[in-house]
Structure formats: C-alpha cells, structure tokens
Amino acid sequence: MVTLKSKAEIKEMRKAGQIVAAFHRGVADLIRPGLTTLDIEAFAVRFLKENGARAYTMGYNGYPFATCASVNDVIAHGFPNRKPLKEGDIVKIDIVAEKDGWIGDSAWCYAVGKVSEEARRLMQVTKECLYRGIEKAVVGNRIGDVMHAVQSHAEQSGYSVVRDLLGHGVGRELHEEPNYMHIGTPGKGFRLKEGMVFTIEPMLNAGKPFMTVDADGWTARTADGSLSAQYEHTIALTADGPMILTAQ
Ligand code: MF3
Ligand code: CO
C-alpha cells in the first residue's frame, strides 16, 4: 500500500532530509586521499547523534553500519573499512537518518582527489540522470516518464542502468511501496500523486548492468569490474512540483 503524506508530514520529513543533506556537506569537506570509509562512518554516527537522529540502517536486516561505502566497482551496500581512500577513487556514501519517526535517504558519489576523465564523466552523467528524473516527477506523470528520462540519458551516454536494486517509497519506514527499477517507458507504470514520497537513485555502470554480491551478503559489485556511480535523493510530490527533501 502506498501511503500519501500530508503537507505537515512532508514538513516533518524534511527535517530528516536536511540532516542527511548536512551530513553529505560534511563528507564533501572531509573527503581526501588517506581518509578511510570507517572515518566517514564515525563522522556519521557522531553527526546523527548530535542531531538527535537515529542511524536507521544499523541493524536493518542485519546491516551493521550507519553508512554504506561503495568504492569504484562496488555498486552499493559496501561496508565501511580501514583501507585508505586513494587518489582517483570514486566512493558512494549512502546514509539513512530517522528523525522524529520519519526517514531521509540519500547517497552521493565523491571523487577522491583528481579522478580519471572517464570516472568524472560517469559521475556527471549519473548526477544528470538523477535531476532529469526529478524534473519528470510531477503529479499526473507516471513512473515510466521519470525512469525513461533516467534510462535514455544513461544509455545515450554509453552507460548501463543497474536493474537489481530498486527505488522505493519512503516515510516512517525506509522501504515502502512502490518499488521500481530505474528504467521505463513513457506513459507506463503507476501514476504519480500528490503526497507520494520516494527515492530516485540511479546506479550507472560504465560496462554491463550485471551485479554480483560478495560473500558478506551485502557488497554489490559490477559483474564485469567496471566503475559504478550513484546519486540518490528523497523526493516529495507536491502540487507545486517535486520537493527534494535531501537537497544539499
Ligand atoms: N539507501 C539504501 C536504500 O536505498 C540503503 C539501504 S541498504 C541498508 O535502500 F541495508 F543499509 F539498509
Ligand atoms: Co534508498
């Protein structure tokens, strides 16, 4: 069941979103060669606590951390670790905060030092896919309109869209209905209604769209070892258009 949120509830959800956004601004300042993803995890734990928010993913389906840290060919759900980030890496940091019972969810891709032209372009196109999707996230459109905008830009740019991990409704829980891939056909799929809150979180691979999961049961990688990028926002659909709850 899709739960529609009132204006007052969306205002509450914005608080969770803004904590997530502020965390990402902090990460952008911290990121540099030599930093470890466990350093970022420690910052996240402290930052959420200071802001009266709960680290929602800690213990969620057994996930052991407040952040996901996914380097280079890791698509998503990587565990933070003590390996120093090195110049040229790209790292996706994903965080979910719960504030006053409401969830905010956003992942962002960071360049570590100077990265290759190839990595820079993959990041750029992935971010453009996110915002092209958001533009189409208006009441009356269908999810296929949103995801067609994402998919066509990705594929015209020579990249593939990961199918195995889905976007999702967000509210008092992280994963609410609906769920959908980041591919689509205009005019198809569920209709977008005022009060829907959901993520747009395209994952683009430089190579094929296929994914494998490590023995830890979480770390999702590109099957062909190619680079992967992701940007994710939590969006609320208002009569005035899409509101980015996790806008930095
Ligand atoms: N932001 C991710 C999502 O879209 C994070 C969830 S993975 C988890 O669902 F296991 F850590 F929760
Ligand atoms: Co998400």
Side-chain angles (χ1 to χ4, degrees):
M1 194 188 65
V2 176
T3 62
L4 301 178
K5 279 78 179 177
S6 68
K7 283 182 183 149
E9 287 172 331
I10 289 171
K11 211 172 153 190
E12 288 296 302
M13 289 194 71
R14 216 178 139 71
K15 292 182 195 164
Q18 281 173 344
I19 291 168
V20 163
F23 163 76
H24 277 298
R25 292 195 298 268
V27 175
D29 287 341
L30 283 175
I31 207 97
R32 55 172 171 73
L35 190 77
T36 74
T37 48
L38 269 178
D39 295 331
I40 298 170
E41 168 72 15
F43 168 64
V45 168
R46 196 179 64 226
F47 189 86
L48 293 177
K49 199 169 176 199
E50 281 169 6
N51 285 280
R54 186 168 81 85
Y56 187 89
T57 61
M58 220 178 246
Y60 178 78
N61 291 339
Y63 189 79
F65 297 99
T67 59
C68 303
S70 307
V71 178
N72 296 336
D73 65 311
V74 179
I75 298 169
H77 305 163
F79 287 176
N81 62 36
R82 23 179 106 260
K83 191 175 162 203
L85 294 166
K86 59 181 193 307
E87 178 107 19
D89 285 342
I90 66 170
V91 57
K92 287 74 71 182
I93 301 295
D94 194 348
I95 191 166
V96 180
E98 180 184 336
K99 175 73 176 173
D100 302 334
W102 295 101
I103 307 296
D105 179 11
S106 175
W108 213 250
C109 187
Y110 298 91
V112 181
K114 195 172 153 42
V115 302
S116 68
E117 180 54 29
E118 185 195 340
R120 197 202 55 75
R121 180 168 172 273
L122 173 66
M123 289 175 65
Q124 175 67 26
V125 170
T126 307
K127 196 190 286 184
E128 287 165 3
C129 285
L130 168 60
Y131 288 106
R132 286 189 186 209
I134 292 172
E135 253 173 52
K136 298 286 183 189
V138 296
V139 174
N141 266 357
R142 291 181 184 269
I143 195 69
D145 299 309
V146 174
M147 295 314 173
H148 176 75
V150 170
Q151 181 184 11
S152 58
H153 186 50
E155 292 179 353
Q156 280 161 23
S157 304
Y159 300 130
S160 66
V161 177
V162 173
R163 269 78 162 160
D164 304 87
L165 300 171
L166 305 179
H168 52 94
V170 184
R172 291 192 177 276
E173 288 170 60
L174 171 61
H175 293 132
E176 297 188 353
E177 286 180 24
N179 298 286
Y180 39 85
M181 292 187 277
H182 289 76
I183 56 174
T185 306
K188 300 280 188 199
F190 61 85
R191 199 178 282 284
L192 304 182
K193 298 196 182 112
E194 185 176 349
M196 281 184 171
V197 179
F198 57 86
T199 66
I200 302 180
E201 49 177 310
M203 284 151 272
L204 267 61
N205 296 348
K208 296 258 157 44
F210 310 114
M211 188 182 103
T212 61
V213 177
D214 285 5
D216 61 21
W218 285 99
T219 308
R221 306 178 180 272
T222 58
D224 60 9
S226 65
L227 274 185
S228 187
Q230 182 189 27
Y231 293 86
E232 172 186 30
H233 272 314
T234 302
I235 309 296
L237 296 193
T238 77
D240 304 326
M243 183 190 281
I244 306 177
L245 301 181
T246 47
Q248 302 164 30

